[in-house]
Amino acid sequence: MTILVVLAVFVGAVAVLWWVAEDEARTPQYLDVAAELTGALLPEADAPLAEQRKALEALHRKLRFDLALYQKNGDMIAMAGRPPPRFDPGRARTGWRRGPGGPNFTLHLPDGRWLVARQVRERPNPIFWVTAFLALVALAVAVGAYPIVRGLSRRLERLKDGVERFGSDLGARVRVEGRDEVAALAASFNRSAQRIEELVAAHRLLLANCSHELRTPLARIAVAASLLGDGADPKTRQSLKQDIDELDQLIEQILLASRLEALPILEQLEPVDLLALVAEEAARYDLGATGTPVTVSGDRLLLRRLIRNLIENARRHGGDGPISLSVERAGERAVLEVSDRGPGVPEAERQRIFEPFYRPAGSRESGRGSGLGLALVLDIARRHGGNAVCLAADGGGSRFRVDLPAT
């Protein structure tokens, strides 16, 4: 379209310039010479009208022009051919005019008479042929450029699609076509994508290996803590056990996060009674669950982790207040809500708490939580076609709401 617009503007500009230049070029001294010659061919101004009319008829037949001869005051002396355009001696001047019957020109004869001439069969204006030629050139350029431009745009579209696929699949690559700049760009993208995939794979492998390697000394520490004698400080023993449990849970969540990053889709899908699963997890913490049985399709282990993380988060930040769990059906969605009576989450941080390793100010000061639990909740919910949000609970506290597609 840009090429066509540029060509159209070029053709229009050339036509306008030609038209202006042609109008300016039609009034030079050659019209004065034509007036002298015509005056010599016509009878004198005082000759009889019949003689002047006869001479005008002869010129009409030879030149194939409609002619009209006027006196100085504008009175018509003779006419040959079609009636000429209206003549006004007060505004007349030597030169070309564009009229309704076609272009005509006016000559001021040496003896003061006026001759108005109009071509009987007008020749095509050269500007028409020039414009037509330029239009054909523009059309030829457009037709010739279209397959090239379209092929280039299609390659760019395929490159764009490959870049978009790379956002969800690190193994996506684009096809290198040709040897031009677009091909070089595609090859450069493939090299960068390969490097990024290798770096991410190395990062995942390092994270998984570190997590596994941490499990071994952690197990030894746990065994050593259990073998402590009765003389050990109970408070120290309890604190050590709590730290070991928290570290074990952190490693488990890191391993799960790594596994989820490596899996584009869920490994297992099965019907799961969400209320039964919530009640089962709540019983581990001496809690109860209310609501309506709703079946969802998903990975049972991941859904269990989602529920457990929500309960752990409520226990960690909810203080000594009660924790309520409920499951309801809202249209085609299953809605899980976990509420606590803690200090709540400021509205400005309700989205950020789902970011990995982000913890509100109070959590950072107390050192509670790793910042991965809610990030895993949101990731698991989205992998099941749902979402997770944090809302303010009625009467104070926080209310975490997870909605999933119901079967």
Side-chain angles (χ1 to χ4, degrees):
M1 292 302 298
T2 303
I3 293 176
L4 292 179
V5 170
V6 170
L7 291 175
V9 171
F10 172 72
V11 172
V14 170
V16 171
L17 290 175
W18 182 283
W19 179 70
V20 173
E22 187 182 33
D23 274 359
E24 293 296 330
R26 279 177 168 173
T27 56
Q29 65 271 18
Y30 75 80
L31 289 179
D32 297 332
V33 176
E36 294 285 346
L37 294 176
T38 305
L41 292 175
L42 293 176
E44 298 294 333
D46 55 357
L49 295 180
E51 184 179 349
Q52 296 189 48
R53 187 178 298 111
K54 183 177 179 181
L56 202 65
E57 290 285 349
L59 282 177
H60 168 68
R61 288 191 298 271
K62 291 180 179 180
L63 301 178
R64 295 180 180 274
F65 273 73
D66 296 327
L67 302 173
L69 187 62
Y70 295 92
Q71 296 179 356
K72 294 181 180 180
N73 59 6
D75 294 337
M76 181 180 289
I77 299 175
M79 181 183 68
R82 295 180 300 168
R86 183 178 178 181
F87 178 73
D88 183 3
R91 303 176 60 182
R93 67 178 179 88
T94 300
W96 284 90
R97 299 288 184 276
R98 296 183 184 275
N104 59 84
F105 64 89
T106 304
L107 295 178
H108 193 197
L109 304 183
D111 55 14
R113 290 177 296 176
W114 293 92
L115 179 67
V116 178
R118 179 174 56 200
Q119 193 170 358
V120 176
R121 186 175 297 173
E122 183 181 0
R123 295 178 181 177
N125 196 322
I127 191 174
F128 169 78
W129 295 110
V130 173
T131 304
F133 172 74
L134 292 176
L136 288 176
V137 171
L139 181 62
V141 172
V143 172
Y146 177 79
I148 300 175
V149 174
R150 186 54 187 152
L152 180 63
S153 63
R154 284 175 178 169
R155 291 167 59 195
L156 291 174
E157 289 172 1
R158 288 192 288 270
L159 179 60
K160 178 182 72 70
D161 294 339
V163 174
E164 291 179 351
R165 289 197 310 272
F166 182 71
S168 57
D169 180 13
L170 294 181
R173 298 293 183 270
V174 297
R175 187 173 60 181
V176 180
E177 306 173 67
R179 298 181 178 179
D180 54 4
E181 291 82 358
V182 178
L185 177 61
S188 177
F189 168 77
N190 287 340
R191 289 193 298 269
S192 300
Q194 180 67 28
R195 180 60 178 160
I196 292 173
E197 185 180 16
E198 292 174 356
L199 290 174
V200 172
H203 165 72
R204 290 173 179 169
L205 182 62
L206 176 64
L207 190 61
N209 289 337
C210 287
S211 300
H212 280 295
E213 293 299 327
L214 285 173
R215 280 267 171 103
T216 302
L218 184 62
R220 290 198 298 264
I221 294 173
V223 172
S226 64
L227 295 178
L228 288 176
D230 296 335
D233 184 8
K235 185 176 180 180
T236 303
R237 184 187 302 176
Q238 180 64 26
S239 177
L240 182 60
K241 182 178 182 302
Q242 184 177 354
D243 291 341
I244 293 173
D245 292 341
E246 186 173 347
L247 185 57
D248 184 67
Q249 185 176 1
L250 173 60
I251 293 174
E252 183 180 355
Q253 290 183 351
I254 292 176
L255 287 174
L256 178 59
S258 301
R259 185 166 65 89
L260 290 178
E261 286 183 3
L263 297 176
I265 59 174
L266 295 176
E267 291 180 320
Q268 299 179 357
L269 289 177
E270 59 178 312
V272 178
D273 187 337
L274 187 59
L275 179 59
L277 190 62
V278 171
E280 183 180 341
E281 283 298 311
R284 298 179 69 251
Y285 299 92
D286 295 329
L287 299 174
T290 61
T292 306
V294 184
T295 302
V296 297
S297 178
D299 188 315
R300 182 181 295 273
L301 294 179
L302 291 181
L303 292 175
R304 185 184 299 277
R305 168 54 63 182
L306 179 149
I307 300 167
R308 185 175 301 176
N309 284 3
L310 288 176
I311 297 175
E312 288 286 350
N313 180 77
R315 294 179 69 240
R316 183 177 297 114
H317 303 288
D320 298 330
I323 299 174
S324 61
L325 295 90
S326 65
V327 176
E328 299 291 343
R329 186 184 188 99
E332 298 299 322
R333 312 291 290 184
V335 179
L336 162 65
E337 289 191 355
V338 178
S339 303
D340 60 62
R341 290 294 180 265
V345 180
E347 186 175 357
E349 296 186 346
R350 289 176 186 168
Q351 292 293 334
R352 299 198 62 191
I353 59 175
F354 291 100
E355 298 176 4
F357 300 107
Y358 176 80
R359 292 183 295 173
S363 297
R364 288 194 296 268
E365 294 169 0
S366 62
R368 295 178 299 174
S370 62
L372 271 179
L374 293 180
L376 287 174
V377 168
L378 181 60
D379 191 5
I380 294 172
R382 288 181 174 174
R383 287 176 180 269
H384 285 80
N387 196 20
V389 294
C390 176
L391 306 171
D394 298 335
S398 300
R399 178 164 56 98
F400 288 86
R401 176 188 178 104
V402 177
D403 68 282
L404 303 171
T407 57

